[in-house]
PDB file of all heavy atoms in Angstrom:
ATOM      1  N   PHE S  24      96.421 100.420  78.014  1.00  0.00           N
ATOM      2  CA  PHE S  24      96.371  99.108  77.361  1.00  0.00           C
ATOM      3  C   PHE S  24      97.417  98.152  77.992  1.00  0.00           C
ATOM      4  O   PHE S  24      97.278  96.966  78.047  1.00  0.00           O
ATOM      5  CB  PHE S  24      96.675  99.207  75.863  1.00  0.00           C
ATOM      6  CG  PHE S  24      95.555  99.747  75.062  1.00  0.00           C
ATOM      7  CD1 PHE S  24      95.313 101.109  74.996  1.00  0.00           C
ATOM      8  CD2 PHE S  24      94.679  98.897  74.372  1.00  0.00           C
ATOM      9  CE1 PHE S  24      94.241 101.613  74.247  1.00  0.00           C
ATOM     10  CE2 PHE S  24      93.606  99.361  73.658  1.00  0.00           C
ATOM     11  CZ  PHE S  24      93.400 100.768  73.557  1.00  0.00           C
ATOM     12  N   ALA S  25      98.551  98.712  78.495  1.00  0.00           N
ATOM     13  CA  ALA S  25      99.631  97.906  79.043  1.00  0.00           C
ATOM     14  C   ALA S  25      99.287  97.413  80.391  1.00  0.00           C
ATOM     15  O   ALA S  25      98.929  98.201  81.283  1.00  0.00           O
ATOM     16  CB  ALA S  25     100.898  98.784  79.000  1.00  0.00           C
ATOM     17  N   ASP S  26      99.504  96.079  80.592  1.00  0.00           N
ATOM     18  CA  ASP S  26      99.216  95.539  81.885  1.00  0.00           C
ATOM     19  C   ASP S  26     100.464  94.959  82.569  1.00  0.00           C
ATOM     20  O   ASP S  26     100.402  94.316  83.586  1.00  0.00           O
ATOM     21  CB  ASP S  26      98.118  94.398  81.795  1.00  0.00           C
ATOM     22  CG  ASP S  26      98.639  93.211  80.918  1.00  0.00           C
ATOM     23  OD1 ASP S  26      99.773  93.293  80.467  1.00  0.00           O
ATOM     24  OD2 ASP S  26      97.833  92.322  80.683  1.00  0.00           O
ATOM     25  N   MET S  27     101.638  95.325  82.000  1.00  0.00           N
ATOM     26  CA  MET S  27     102.901  94.766  82.553  1.00  0.00           C
ATOM     27  C   MET S  27     103.556  95.741  83.575  1.00  0.00           C
ATOM     28  O   MET S  27     104.534  95.362  84.152  1.00  0.00           O
ATOM     29  CB  MET S  27     103.874  94.417  81.426  1.00  0.00           C
ATOM     30  CG  MET S  27     104.536  95.606  80.718  1.00  0.00           C
ATOM     31  SD  MET S  27     103.420  96.518  79.646  1.00  0.00           S
ATOM     32  CE  MET S  27     103.291  95.342  78.282  1.00  0.00           C
ATOM     33  N   PHE S  28     102.965  96.905  83.730  1.00  0.00           N
ATOM     34  CA  PHE S  28     103.565  97.867  84.672  1.00  0.00           C
ATOM     35  C   PHE S  28     102.786  97.760  85.995  1.00  0.00           C
ATOM     36  O   PHE S  28     101.768  98.360  86.178  1.00  0.00           O
ATOM     37  CB  PHE S  28     103.455  99.253  84.117  1.00  0.00           C
ATOM     38  CG  PHE S  28     104.141  99.396  82.734  1.00  0.00           C
ATOM     39  CD1 PHE S  28     103.383  99.791  81.659  1.00  0.00           C
ATOM     40  CD2 PHE S  28     105.465  99.099  82.574  1.00  0.00           C
ATOM     41  CE1 PHE S  28     103.979  99.944  80.408  1.00  0.00           C
ATOM     42  CE2 PHE S  28     106.057  99.215  81.292  1.00  0.00           C
ATOM     43  CZ  PHE S  28     105.372  99.648  80.227  1.00  0.00           C
ATOM     44  N   LYS S  29     103.394  97.004  86.955  1.00  0.00           N
ATOM     45  CA  LYS S  29     102.696  96.767  88.183  1.00  0.00           C
ATOM     46  C   LYS S  29     102.403  98.029  88.982  1.00  0.00           C
ATOM     47  O   LYS S  29     101.378  98.148  89.632  1.00  0.00           O
ATOM     48  CB  LYS S  29     103.527  95.790  89.019  1.00  0.00           C
ATOM     49  CG  LYS S  29     103.635  94.412  88.454  1.00  0.00           C
ATOM     50  CD  LYS S  29     104.417  93.441  89.359  1.00  0.00           C
ATOM     51  CE  LYS S  29     104.498  92.024  88.752  1.00  0.00           C
ATOM     52  NZ  LYS S  29     105.240  91.130  89.581  1.00  0.00           N
ATOM     53  N   ASP S  30     103.344  99.001  88.905  1.00  0.00           N
ATOM     54  CA  ASP S  30     103.171 100.245  89.656  1.00  0.00           C
ATOM     55  C   ASP S  30     101.961 101.023  89.065  1.00  0.00           C
ATOM     56  O   ASP S  30     101.185 101.571  89.823  1.00  0.00           O
ATOM     57  CB  ASP S  30     104.377 101.141  89.532  1.00  0.00           C
ATOM     58  CG  ASP S  30     105.545 100.628  90.351  1.00  0.00           C
ATOM     59  OD1 ASP S  30     105.323  99.678  91.184  1.00  0.00           O
ATOM     60  OD2 ASP S  30     106.662 101.117  90.174  1.00  0.00           O
ATOM     61  N   ALA S  31     101.758 101.048  87.745  1.00  0.00           N
ATOM     62  CA  ALA S  31     100.652 101.669  87.130  1.00  0.00           C
ATOM     63  C   ALA S  31      99.319 101.070  87.552  1.00  0.00           C
ATOM     64  O   ALA S  31      98.344 101.756  87.908  1.00  0.00           O
ATOM     65  CB  ALA S  31     100.801 101.733  85.624  1.00  0.00           C
ATOM     66  N   THR S  32      99.289  99.723  87.539  1.00  0.00           N
ATOM     67  CA  THR S  32      98.129  98.980  87.954  1.00  0.00           C
ATOM     68  C   THR S  32      97.791  99.331  89.403  1.00  0.00           C
ATOM     69  O   THR S  32      96.558  99.554  89.750  1.00  0.00           O
ATOM     70  CB  THR S  32      98.315  97.490  87.743  1.00  0.00           C
ATOM     71  OG1 THR S  32      98.471  97.214  86.398  1.00  0.00           O
ATOM     72  CG2 THR S  32      97.163  96.686  88.301  1.00  0.00           C
ATOM     73  N   ALA S  33      98.763  99.326  90.296  1.00  0.00           N
ATOM     74  CA  ALA S  33      98.512  99.572  91.694  1.00  0.00           C
ATOM     75  C   ALA S  33      98.060 101.006  91.908  1.00  0.00           C
ATOM     76  O   ALA S  33      97.114 101.241  92.759  1.00  0.00           O
ATOM     77  CB  ALA S  33      99.822  99.343  92.513  1.00  0.00           C
ATOM     78  N   MET S  34      98.610 101.929  91.216  1.00  0.00           N
ATOM     79  CA  MET S  34      98.175 103.355  91.347  1.00  0.00           C
ATOM     80  C   MET S  34      96.754 103.532  90.911  1.00  0.00           C
ATOM     81  O   MET S  34      95.987 104.232  91.576  1.00  0.00           O
ATOM     82  CB  MET S  34      99.096 104.274  90.486  1.00  0.00           C
ATOM     83  CG  MET S  34     100.547 104.383  91.073  1.00  0.00           C
ATOM     84  SD  MET S  34     101.690 105.215  89.875  1.00  0.00           S
ATOM     85  CE  MET S  34     101.186 106.906  90.118  1.00  0.00           C
ATOM     86  N   MET S  35      96.360 102.888  89.767  1.00  0.00           N
ATOM     87  CA  MET S  35      94.980 102.966  89.365  1.00  0.00           C
ATOM     88  C   MET S  35      94.021 102.317  90.343  1.00  0.00           C
ATOM     89  O   MET S  35      92.941 102.836  90.645  1.00  0.00           O
ATOM     90  CB  MET S  35      94.889 102.371  87.938  1.00  0.00           C
ATOM     91  CG  MET S  35      93.436 102.312  87.420  1.00  0.00           C
ATOM     92  SD  MET S  35      92.597 103.895  87.367  1.00  0.00           S
ATOM     93  CE  MET S  35      90.967 103.317  86.826  1.00  0.00           C
ATOM     94  N   ARG S  36      94.407 101.126  90.811  1.00  0.00           N
ATOM     95  CA  ARG S  36      93.505 100.455  91.756  1.00  0.00           C
ATOM     96  C   ARG S  36      93.331 101.293  93.073  1.00  0.00           C
ATOM     97  O   ARG S  36      92.213 101.439  93.551  1.00  0.00           O
ATOM     98  CB  ARG S  36      94.076  99.078  92.173  1.00  0.00           C
ATOM     99  CG  ARG S  36      93.873  98.022  91.073  1.00  0.00           C
ATOM    100  CD  ARG S  36      94.512  96.699  91.542  1.00  0.00           C
ATOM    101  NE  ARG S  36      94.341  95.657  90.571  1.00  0.00           N
ATOM    102  CZ  ARG S  36      95.154  94.651  90.418  1.00  0.00           C
ATOM    103  NH1 ARG S  36      96.259  94.546  91.168  1.00  0.00           N
ATOM    104  NH2 ARG S  36      94.884  93.738  89.489  1.00  0.00           N
ATOM    105  N   ASP S  37      94.387 101.881  93.540  1.00  0.00           N
ATOM    106  CA  ASP S  37      94.307 102.693  94.744  1.00  0.00           C
ATOM    107  C   ASP S  37      93.436 103.874  94.538  1.00  0.00           C
ATOM    108  O   ASP S  37      92.582 104.242  95.399  1.00  0.00           O
ATOM    109  CB  ASP S  37      95.712 103.170  95.185  1.00  0.00           C
ATOM    110  CG  ASP S  37      96.583 102.026  95.726  1.00  0.00           C
ATOM    111  OD1 ASP S  37      96.037 100.963  96.012  1.00  0.00           O
ATOM    112  OD2 ASP S  37      97.803 102.277  95.891  1.00  0.00           O
ATOM    113  N   TYR S  38      93.557 104.514  93.388  1.00  0.00           N
ATOM    114  CA  TYR S  38      92.740 105.715  93.094  1.00  0.00           C
ATOM    115  C   TYR S  38      91.277 105.314  92.936  1.00  0.00           C
ATOM    116  O   TYR S  38      90.365 106.029  93.436  1.00  0.00           O
ATOM    117  CB  TYR S  38      93.278 106.397  91.812  1.00  0.00           C
ATOM    118  CG  TYR S  38      92.618 107.760  91.544  1.00  0.00           C
ATOM    119  CD1 TYR S  38      93.182 108.907  92.149  1.00  0.00           C
ATOM    120  CD2 TYR S  38      91.552 107.867  90.702  1.00  0.00           C
ATOM    121  CE1 TYR S  38      92.626 110.166  91.890  1.00  0.00           C
ATOM    122  CE2 TYR S  38      90.987 109.111  90.408  1.00  0.00           C
ATOM    123  CZ  TYR S  38      91.510 110.274  91.053  1.00  0.00           C
ATOM    124  OH  TYR S  38      90.941 111.441  90.788  1.00  0.00           O
ATOM    125  N   LEU S  39      91.065 104.223  92.215  1.00  0.00           N
ATOM    126  CA  LEU S  39      89.691 103.748  92.005  1.00  0.00           C
ATOM    127  C   LEU S  39      89.028 103.428  93.312  1.00  0.00           C
ATOM    128  O   LEU S  39      87.846 103.698  93.527  1.00  0.00           O
ATOM    129  CB  LEU S  39      89.725 102.546  91.058  1.00  0.00           C
ATOM    130  CG  LEU S  39      88.391 101.862  90.771  1.00  0.00           C
ATOM    131  CD1 LEU S  39      87.398 102.860  90.136  1.00  0.00           C
ATOM    132  CD2 LEU S  39      88.622 100.672  89.799  1.00  0.00           C
ATOM    133  N   ALA S  40      89.754 102.773  94.233  1.00  0.00           N
ATOM    134  CA  ALA S  40      89.199 102.384  95.519  1.00  0.00           C
ATOM    135  C   ALA S  40      88.694 103.606  96.317  1.00  0.00           C
ATOM    136  O   ALA S  40      87.764 103.461  97.070  1.00  0.00           O
ATOM    137  CB  ALA S  40      90.233 101.613  96.352  1.00  0.00           C
ATOM    138  N   LYS S  41      89.385 104.723  96.099  1.00  0.00           N
ATOM    139  CA  LYS S  41      89.005 105.927  96.810  1.00  0.00           C
ATOM    140  C   LYS S  41      88.043 106.880  96.072  1.00  0.00           C
ATOM    141  O   LYS S  41      87.484 107.771  96.632  1.00  0.00           O
ATOM    142  CB  LYS S  41      90.263 106.691  97.245  1.00  0.00           C
ATOM    143  CG  LYS S  41      91.172 105.934  98.164  1.00  0.00           C
ATOM    144  CD  LYS S  41      92.502 106.696  98.385  1.00  0.00           C
ATOM    145  CE  LYS S  41      93.432 105.938  99.263  1.00  0.00           C
ATOM    146  NZ  LYS S  41      94.743 106.636  99.416  1.00  0.00           N
ATOM    147  N   ASN S  42      87.973 106.696  94.785  1.00  0.00           N
ATOM    148  CA  ASN S  42      87.169 107.647  93.918  1.00  0.00           C
ATOM    149  C   ASN S  42      86.237 106.906  93.017  1.00  0.00           C
ATOM    150  O   ASN S  42      86.163 107.152  91.822  1.00  0.00           O
ATOM    151  CB  ASN S  42      88.182 108.489  93.104  1.00  0.00           C
ATOM    152  CG  ASN S  42      89.103 109.305  93.916  1.00  0.00           C
ATOM    153  OD1 ASN S  42      88.770 110.380  94.370  1.00  0.00           O
ATOM    154  ND2 ASN S  42      90.318 108.754  94.196  1.00  0.00           N
ATOM    155  N   GLY S  43      85.514 105.968  93.666  1.00  0.00           N
ATOM    156  CA  GLY S  43      84.543 105.123  92.857  1.00  0.00           C
ATOM    157  C   GLY S  43      83.372 105.857  92.280  1.00  0.00           C
ATOM    158  O   GLY S  43      82.930 105.579  91.202  1.00  0.00           O
ATOM    159  N   LYS S  44      82.911 106.885  93.000  1.00  0.00           N
ATOM    160  CA  LYS S  44      81.739 107.622  92.497  1.00  0.00           C
ATOM    161  C   LYS S  44      82.075 108.360  91.219  1.00  0.00           C
ATOM    162  O   LYS S  44      81.237 108.420  90.288  1.00  0.00           O
ATOM    163  CB  LYS S  44      81.223 108.590  93.570  1.00  0.00           C
ATOM    164  CG  LYS S  44      80.553 107.903  94.754  1.00  0.00           C
ATOM    165  CD  LYS S  44      79.971 108.874  95.733  1.00  0.00           C
ATOM    166  CE  LYS S  44      79.259 108.162  96.924  1.00  0.00           C
ATOM    167  NZ  LYS S  44      78.732 109.100  97.894  1.00  0.00           N
ATOM    168  N   GLU S  45      83.231 108.954  91.164  1.00  0.00           N
ATOM    169  CA  GLU S  45      83.661 109.677  89.958  1.00  0.00           C
ATOM    170  C   GLU S  45      83.781 108.725  88.805  1.00  0.00           C
ATOM    171  O   GLU S  45      83.391 108.994  87.639  1.00  0.00           O
ATOM    172  CB  GLU S  45      85.010 110.363  90.180  1.00  0.00           C
ATOM    173  CG  GLU S  45      85.481 111.176  89.006  1.00  0.00           C
ATOM    174  CD  GLU S  45      86.883 111.735  89.189  1.00  0.00           C
ATOM    175  OE1 GLU S  45      87.468 111.587  90.290  1.00  0.00           O
ATOM    176  OE2 GLU S  45      87.422 112.339  88.287  1.00  0.00           O
ATOM    177  N   TRP S  46      84.293 107.542  89.035  1.00  0.00           N
ATOM    178  CA  TRP S  46      84.414 106.482  88.027  1.00  0.00           C
ATOM    179  C   TRP S  46      83.037 106.105  87.478  1.00  0.00           C
ATOM    180  O   TRP S  46      82.795 106.044  86.304  1.00  0.00           O
ATOM    181  CB  TRP S  46      85.100 105.276  88.659  1.00  0.00           C
ATOM    182  CG  TRP S  46      85.244 104.031  87.789  1.00  0.00           C
ATOM    183  CD1 TRP S  46      84.470 102.876  87.895  1.00  0.00           C
ATOM    184  CD2 TRP S  46      86.203 103.781  86.771  1.00  0.00           C
ATOM    185  NE1 TRP S  46      84.908 101.948  87.031  1.00  0.00           N
ATOM    186  CE2 TRP S  46      85.983 102.498  86.317  1.00  0.00           C
ATOM    187  CE3 TRP S  46      87.205 104.525  86.190  1.00  0.00           C
ATOM    188  CZ2 TRP S  46      86.752 101.915  85.274  1.00  0.00           C
ATOM    189  CZ3 TRP S  46      87.964 103.944  85.167  1.00  0.00           C
ATOM    190  CH2 TRP S  46      87.712 102.651  84.768  1.00  0.00           C
ATOM    191  N   GLU S  47      82.083 105.855  88.398  1.00  0.00           N
ATOM    192  CA  GLU S  47      80.760 105.507  87.992  1.00  0.00           C
ATOM    193  C   GLU S  47      80.044 106.595  87.177  1.00  0.00           C
ATOM    194  O   GLU S  47      79.343 106.301  86.222  1.00  0.00           O
ATOM    195  CB  GLU S  47      79.917 105.117  89.219  1.00  0.00           C
ATOM    196  CG  GLU S  47      80.273 103.868  89.882  1.00  0.00           C
ATOM    197  CD  GLU S  47      80.078 102.594  88.983  1.00  0.00           C
ATOM    198  OE1 GLU S  47      79.056 102.589  88.280  1.00  0.00           O
ATOM    199  OE2 GLU S  47      80.932 101.693  89.018  1.00  0.00           O
ATOM    200  N   ALA S  48      80.282 107.838  87.593  1.00  0.00           N
ATOM    201  CA  ALA S  48      79.683 108.946  86.846  1.00  0.00           C
ATOM    202  C   ALA S  48      80.147 108.977  85.408  1.00  0.00           C
ATOM    203  O   ALA S  48      79.426 109.263  84.493  1.00  0.00           O
ATOM    204  CB  ALA S  48      79.986 110.245  87.525  1.00  0.00           C
ATOM    205  N   ILE S  49      81.458 108.721  85.193  1.00  0.00           N
ATOM    206  CA  ILE S  49      82.017 108.674  83.820  1.00  0.00           C
ATOM    207  C   ILE S  49      81.416 107.533  83.035  1.00  0.00           C
ATOM    208  O   ILE S  49      80.950 107.713  81.908  1.00  0.00           O
ATOM    209  CB  ILE S  49      83.555 108.577  83.879  1.00  0.00           C
ATOM    210  CG1 ILE S  49      84.182 109.845  84.472  1.00  0.00           C
ATOM    211  CG2 ILE S  49      84.117 108.321  82.483  1.00  0.00           C
ATOM    212  CD1 ILE S  49      85.625 109.710  84.823  1.00  0.00           C
ATOM    213  N   LEU S  50      81.365 106.385  83.613  1.00  0.00           N
ATOM    214  CA  LEU S  50      80.938 105.157  82.891  1.00  0.00           C
ATOM    215  C   LEU S  50      79.452 105.233  82.583  1.00  0.00           C
ATOM    216  O   LEU S  50      79.009 104.549  81.635  1.00  0.00           O
ATOM    217  CB  LEU S  50      81.226 103.907  83.728  1.00  0.00           C
ATOM    218  CG  LEU S  50      82.583 103.185  83.421  1.00  0.00           C
ATOM    219  CD1 LEU S  50      83.746 104.145  83.573  1.00  0.00           C
ATOM    220  CD2 LEU S  50      82.748 102.015  84.313  1.00  0.00           C
ATOM    221  N   HIS S  51      78.649 105.943  83.379  1.00  0.00           N
ATOM    222  CA  HIS S  51      77.207 105.955  83.184  1.00  0.00           C
ATOM    223  C   HIS S  51      76.737 107.240  82.504  1.00  0.00           C
ATOM    224  O   HIS S  51      75.528 107.478  82.436  1.00  0.00           O
ATOM    225  CB  HIS S  51      76.506 105.745  84.536  1.00  0.00           C
ATOM    226  CG  HIS S  51      76.732 104.362  85.079  1.00  0.00           C
ATOM    227  ND1 HIS S  51      76.395 103.255  84.404  1.00  0.00           N
ATOM    228  CD2 HIS S  51      77.268 103.982  86.233  1.00  0.00           C
ATOM    229  CE1 HIS S  51      76.727 102.166  85.092  1.00  0.00           C
ATOM    230  NE2 HIS S  51      77.279 102.592  86.226  1.00  0.00           N
ATOM    231  N   GLU S  52      77.669 108.071  81.984  1.00  0.00           N
ATOM    232  CA  GLU S  52      77.276 109.221  81.171  1.00  0.00           C
ATOM    233  C   GLU S  52      76.627 108.599  79.931  1.00  0.00           C
ATOM    234  O   GLU S  52      77.153 107.693  79.336  1.00  0.00           O
ATOM    235  CB  GLU S  52      78.516 110.072  80.850  1.00  0.00           C
ATOM    236  CG  GLU S  52      78.239 111.433  80.421  1.00  0.00           C
ATOM    237  CD  GLU S  52      77.859 111.496  78.906  1.00  0.00           C
ATOM    238  OE1 GLU S  52      78.361 110.661  78.168  1.00  0.00           O
ATOM    239  OE2 GLU S  52      76.963 112.303  78.581  1.00  0.00           O
ATOM    240  N   PRO S  53      75.493 109.094  79.486  1.00  0.00           N
ATOM    241  CA  PRO S  53      74.733 108.444  78.402  1.00  0.00           C
ATOM    242  C   PRO S  53      75.534 108.161  77.136  1.00  0.00           C
ATOM    243  O   PRO S  53      75.459 107.041  76.627  1.00  0.00           O
ATOM    244  CB  PRO S  53      73.584 109.465  78.118  1.00  0.00           C
ATOM    245  CG  PRO S  53      73.355 110.116  79.450  1.00  0.00           C
ATOM    246  CD  PRO S  53      74.720 110.234  80.086  1.00  0.00           C
ATOM    247  N   ASP S  54      76.274 109.128  76.613  1.00  0.00           N
ATOM    248  CA  ASP S  54      77.076 108.907  75.364  1.00  0.00           C
ATOM    249  C   ASP S  54      78.158 107.862  75.599  1.00  0.00           C
ATOM    250  O   ASP S  54      78.418 107.054  74.738  1.00  0.00           O
ATOM    251  CB  ASP S  54      77.674 110.219  74.851  1.00  0.00           C
ATOM    252  CG  ASP S  54      76.670 111.061  74.096  1.00  0.00           C
ATOM    253  OD1 ASP S  54      75.632 110.481  73.664  1.00  0.00           O
ATOM    254  OD2 ASP S  54      76.940 112.229  73.889  1.00  0.00           O
ATOM    255  N   PHE S  55      78.730 107.861  76.782  1.00  0.00           N
ATOM    256  CA  PHE S  55      79.784 106.893  77.090  1.00  0.00           C
ATOM    257  C   PHE S  55      79.221 105.515  77.096  1.00  0.00           C
ATOM    258  O   PHE S  55      79.708 104.548  76.479  1.00  0.00           O
ATOM    259  CB  PHE S  55      80.394 107.199  78.461  1.00  0.00           C
ATOM    260  CG  PHE S  55      81.638 106.373  78.730  1.00  0.00           C
ATOM    261  CD1 PHE S  55      82.914 106.901  78.476  1.00  0.00           C
ATOM    262  CD2 PHE S  55      81.560 105.109  79.260  1.00  0.00           C
ATOM    263  CE1 PHE S  55      84.065 106.146  78.742  1.00  0.00           C
ATOM    264  CE2 PHE S  55      82.676 104.331  79.504  1.00  0.00           C
ATOM    265  CZ  PHE S  55      83.948 104.881  79.250  1.00  0.00           C
ATOM    266  N   GLU S  56      78.055 105.313  77.765  1.00  0.00           N
ATOM    267  CA  GLU S  56      77.414 104.027  77.834  1.00  0.00           C
ATOM    268  C   GLU S  56      77.000 103.534  76.481  1.00  0.00           C
ATOM    269  O   GLU S  56      77.000 102.311  76.182  1.00  0.00           O
ATOM    270  CB  GLU S  56      76.182 104.075  78.764  1.00  0.00           C
ATOM    271  CG  GLU S  56      76.500 104.006  80.193  1.00  0.00           C
ATOM    272  CD  GLU S  56      75.287 103.801  81.089  1.00  0.00           C
ATOM    273  OE1 GLU S  56      74.297 104.508  80.911  1.00  0.00           O
ATOM    274  OE2 GLU S  56      75.262 102.783  81.888  1.00  0.00           O
ATOM    275  N   LYS S  57      76.591 104.497  75.600  1.00  0.00           N
ATOM    276  CA  LYS S  57      76.127 104.106  74.281  1.00  0.00           C
ATOM    277  C   LYS S  57      77.278 103.547  73.429  1.00  0.00           C
ATOM    278  O   LYS S  57      77.040 102.606  72.629  1.00  0.00           O
ATOM    279  CB  LYS S  57      75.548 105.374  73.595  1.00  0.00           C
ATOM    280  CG  LYS S  57      75.041 105.113  72.174  1.00  0.00           C
ATOM    281  CD  LYS S  57      74.463 106.424  71.608  1.00  0.00           C
ATOM    282  CE  LYS S  57      74.020 106.251  70.164  1.00  0.00           C
ATOM    283  NZ  LYS S  57      73.447 107.495  69.578  1.00  0.00           N
ATOM    284  N   TYR S  58      78.488 104.066  73.564  1.00  0.00           N
ATOM    285  CA  TYR S  58      79.583 103.702  72.653  1.00  0.00           C
ATOM    286  C   TYR S  58      80.652 102.785  73.269  1.00  0.00           C
ATOM    287  O   TYR S  58      81.328 102.130  72.502  1.00  0.00           O
ATOM    288  CB  TYR S  58      80.263 104.944  72.165  1.00  0.00           C
ATOM    289  CG  TYR S  58      79.413 105.817  71.224  1.00  0.00           C
ATOM    290  CD1 TYR S  58      78.753 106.974  71.667  1.00  0.00           C
ATOM    291  CD2 TYR S  58      79.257 105.433  69.912  1.00  0.00           C
ATOM    292  CE1 TYR S  58      77.991 107.713  70.765  1.00  0.00           C
ATOM    293  CE2 TYR S  58      78.455 106.158  69.001  1.00  0.00           C
ATOM    294  CZ  TYR S  58      77.829 107.283  69.484  1.00  0.00           C
ATOM    295  OH  TYR S  58      77.055 108.006  68.635  1.00  0.00           O
ATOM    296  N   PHE S  59      80.781 102.762  74.542  1.00  0.00           N
ATOM    297  CA  PHE S  59      81.958 102.075  75.145  1.00  0.00           C
ATOM    298  C   PHE S  59      81.635 101.121  76.228  1.00  0.00           C
ATOM    299  O   PHE S  59      80.708 101.241  76.945  1.00  0.00           O
ATOM    300  CB  PHE S  59      82.962 103.134  75.732  1.00  0.00           C
ATOM    301  CG  PHE S  59      83.285 104.271  74.825  1.00  0.00           C
ATOM    302  CD1 PHE S  59      83.036 105.579  75.219  1.00  0.00           C
ATOM    303  CD2 PHE S  59      83.818 104.047  73.605  1.00  0.00           C
ATOM    304  CE1 PHE S  59      83.366 106.609  74.397  1.00  0.00           C
ATOM    305  CE2 PHE S  59      84.168 105.089  72.741  1.00  0.00           C
ATOM    306  CZ  PHE S  59      83.938 106.369  73.151  1.00  0.00           C
ATOM    307  N   THR S  60      82.489 100.081  76.356  1.00  0.00           N
ATOM    308  CA  THR S  60      82.524  99.137  77.431  1.00  0.00           C
ATOM    309  C   THR S  60      83.985  99.045  77.870  1.00  0.00           C
ATOM    310  O   THR S  60      84.906  98.860  77.056  1.00  0.00           O
ATOM    311  CB  THR S  60      82.069  97.722  76.996  1.00  0.00           C
ATOM    312  OG1 THR S  60      80.725  97.845  76.536  1.00  0.00           O
ATOM    313  CG2 THR S  60      82.164  96.763  78.181  1.00  0.00           C
ATOM    314  N   VAL S  61      84.248  99.180  79.134  1.00  0.00           N
ATOM    315  CA  VAL S  61      85.610  99.122  79.690  1.00  0.00           C
ATOM    316  C   VAL S  61      86.129  97.682  79.500  1.00  0.00           C
ATOM    317  O   VAL S  61      85.483  96.756  79.967  1.00  0.00           O
ATOM    318  CB  VAL S  61      85.699  99.573  81.122  1.00  0.00           C
ATOM    319  CG1 VAL S  61      87.145  99.510  81.629  1.00  0.00           C
ATOM    320  CG2 VAL S  61      85.174 100.998  81.253  1.00  0.00           C
TER     321      VAL S  61
END
């Protein structure tokens, strides 16, 4: 939830840039899509 930690934001962006398929698999799991929006 916290967006004031620049290091945390950078770490997440770097990981996401390299691991996009895993991210998409989580977001498009049927129960996840049914209940949640990032």
Side-chain angles (χ1 to χ4, degrees):
F24 286 81
D26 62 4
M27 72 287 289
F28 304 121
K29 293 182 179 179
D30 288 349
T32 295
M34 291 169 76
M35 175 56 185
R36 283 179 178 151
D37 289 348
Y38 189 85
L39 178 58
K41 296 175 183 176
N42 299 276
K44 289 184 179 179
E45 182 185 355
W46 175 257
E47 288 297 322
I49 292 168
L50 268 54
H51 294 301
E52 198 280 325
D54 280 343
F55 190 97
E56 281 193 308
K57 180 179 178 181
Y58 291 103
F59 308 124
T60 299
V61 180

